[in-house]
């Protein structure tokens, strides 16, 4: 479509501190041909070191083509600054490509949301349509995963700093189109295979490319037209595991005490579940979904979370608490960070008329409805390595309370 070609493509580079984002960016700037490139570099310090390295190392013609955004993160405190800088670059008419290097401690989803405000999807907010997010590239340091995380299997096992490196790594790996496993020359083939197996357990769909010193064919990361927000969000393994169960449950089979179906979560994304144990893969990586039609006792679950089971790399899903029967929560765990955030009211709290309208719009609601608890339930996906599934289930069951209206 002609109009789409007018939008300036944006490639977002994410990855933890020292993974090799700046090296990759300099490789792109030295080797790209045919683009007038602008670069936005985010650094949390008062002095943007990365921007200086890029200006020094790369062949930058335009004086203002490298824009430092510093003393904050573009995923939170500098979101407005990021949007304004993109607008300024786009409206200058000097550039036909924008590269953004996120700070190593940035979460990718809020950045993507900010960029997508400028692709025409937020016209009701009066924002111009000037760019399109083309690709999110997550740079992963193979050596770091081997030396600090035992090849990935300790991502959630060790107590870490408040920033929680593992949580950032998981989020960056889960939300991307392309994963660059960098510094492959510093690890053995066996170590690299183990790293890749753990990454695949978190993100099974993104293109995965091995690289040394950020050297890559630029066709893999520039003007790929790969990015679609909803598709990328739904490629995270925890969502795919929940989706598998819905497909299986379309085939009639015997129901057990905790058998139920999937539906739209109150946060707007789709949560489904898997009634069986996930396939065990190489290096002992497996998945399963814990689901119950009883609520958790909040205090008991907090005690369980304080001694989180070894081997779990990622856990996320829908939870229900006995002391708050009206509210659905999203529980999310990666690294030592474990949070439960309100996600909206259960449909069981809606009026009869609202419920009838909802069921008319989505027949699955009626199909999944429980006469006693309505749509209230617990559905948590676990992804891990050498997990003691049965013990985890027993421990979670001990955190349950009876349902009382």
């Amino acid at each position: 479509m002609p109009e789409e070609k007018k939008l300036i493509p944006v490639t977002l580079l994410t990855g933890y501190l020292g993974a090799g984002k700046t090296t990759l960016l300099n490789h792109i700037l030295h080797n790209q041909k045919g683009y007038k490139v602008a670069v936005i570099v985010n650094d949390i310090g008062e002095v943007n070191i990365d921007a200086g390295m890029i200006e020094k190392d790369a062949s930058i013609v335009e004086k203002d083509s490298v824009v430092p955004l510093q003393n904050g993160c573009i995923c939170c405190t500098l979101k407005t600054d990021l949007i304004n800088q993109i607008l300024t670059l786009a409206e200058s008419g000097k550039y036909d490509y924008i590269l953004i290097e996120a700070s190593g401690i940035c979460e990718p989803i809020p950045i993507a949301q900010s960029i997508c405000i400028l692709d025409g999807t937020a016209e009701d907010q009066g924002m111009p349509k000037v760019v399109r997010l083309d690709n999110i590239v997550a740079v992963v340091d193979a050596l770091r995963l081997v030396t600090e995380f035992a090849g990935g299997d300790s991502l959630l096992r060790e107590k870490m700093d408040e920033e929680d490196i593992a949580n950032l790594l998981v989020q960056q790996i889960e939300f991307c189109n392309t994963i660059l496993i960098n510094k492959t020359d510093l690890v053995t083939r066996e170590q690299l295979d183990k790293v890749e197996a753990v990454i695949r357990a978190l993100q099974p769909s993104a293109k995965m490319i091995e690289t040394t010193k950020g050297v890559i064919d630029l066709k893999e990361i520039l003007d790929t037209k790969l990015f679609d927000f909803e598709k990328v969000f739904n490629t995270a393994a925890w969502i795919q595991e929940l989706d598998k169960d819905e497909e299986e449950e379309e085939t009639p089979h015997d129901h057990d005490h905790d058998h139920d179906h999937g539906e739209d979560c109150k946060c707007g994304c789709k949560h489904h579940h898997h009634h069986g144990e996930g396939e065990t893969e190489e290096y002992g990586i497996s998945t399963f979904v814990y689901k119950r039609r009883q609520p958790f006792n909040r205090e008991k679950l907090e005690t369980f979370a304080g001694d989180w089971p070894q081997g779990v790399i990622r856990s996320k899903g829908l939870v229900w608490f006995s002391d708050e029967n009206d509210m659905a929560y999203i529980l999310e765990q990666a690294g030592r960070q474990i949070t439960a955030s309100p996600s909206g009211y259960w449909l069981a709290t809606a009026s009869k008329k609202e419920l009838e309208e909802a069921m008319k719009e989505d027949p699955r609601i009626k199909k999944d409805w429980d006469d006693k608890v309505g749509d209230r339930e617990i559905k948590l996906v676990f992804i891990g390595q050498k997990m003691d599934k049965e013990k985890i289930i027993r421990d979670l069951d001990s955190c349950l309370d009876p349902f009382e209206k």
Side-chain angles (χ1 to χ4, degrees), residues 8-12 86 97-100 115 131-136:
I8 299 174
V10 177
T11 293
L12 171 64
I86 291 173
Y97 212 103
I98 297 175
L99 296 172
I100 301 176
I115 299 169
V131 298
R132 63 175 175 84
L133 184 50
D134 178 76
N135 197 7
I136 297 182

Side-chain angles (χ1 to χ4, degrees), residues 10-78:
V10 177
T11 293
L12 171 64
L13 305 181
T14 69
Y16 194 67
L17 300 167
K21 298 187 298 299
T22 302
T23 301
L24 171 64
L25 191 50
N26 279 319
H27 170 71
I28 296 171
L29 294 173
H30 274 109
N31 293 280
Q32 64 82 21
K33 293 179 177 64
Y35 293 116
K36 296 176 182 176
V37 181
V39 181
I40 297 174
V41 184
N42 179 212
D43 199 313
I44 60 171
E46 292 184 3
V47 178
N48 197 311
I49 298 172
D50 282 351
M53 290 174 61
I54 292 163
E55 288 176 326
K56 179 181 178 181
D57 293 344
S59 303
I60 298 295
V61 178
E62 289 285 345
K63 179 182 178 183
D64 300 323
S65 60
V66 177
V67 179
L69 291 178
Q70 58 202 46
N71 208 20
C73 291
I74 55 175
C75 67
C76 48
T77 56
L78 298 181

Side-chain angles (χ1 to χ4, degrees), residues 209-226:
I209 303 170
E210 299 175 4
T211 184
T212 298
K213 297 180 180 178
V215 176
I216 186 174
D217 185 342
L218 300 191
K219 291 184 295 184
E220 302 284 359
I221 54 177
L222 296 184
D223 203 19
T224 64
K225 299 179 175 64
L226 288 175

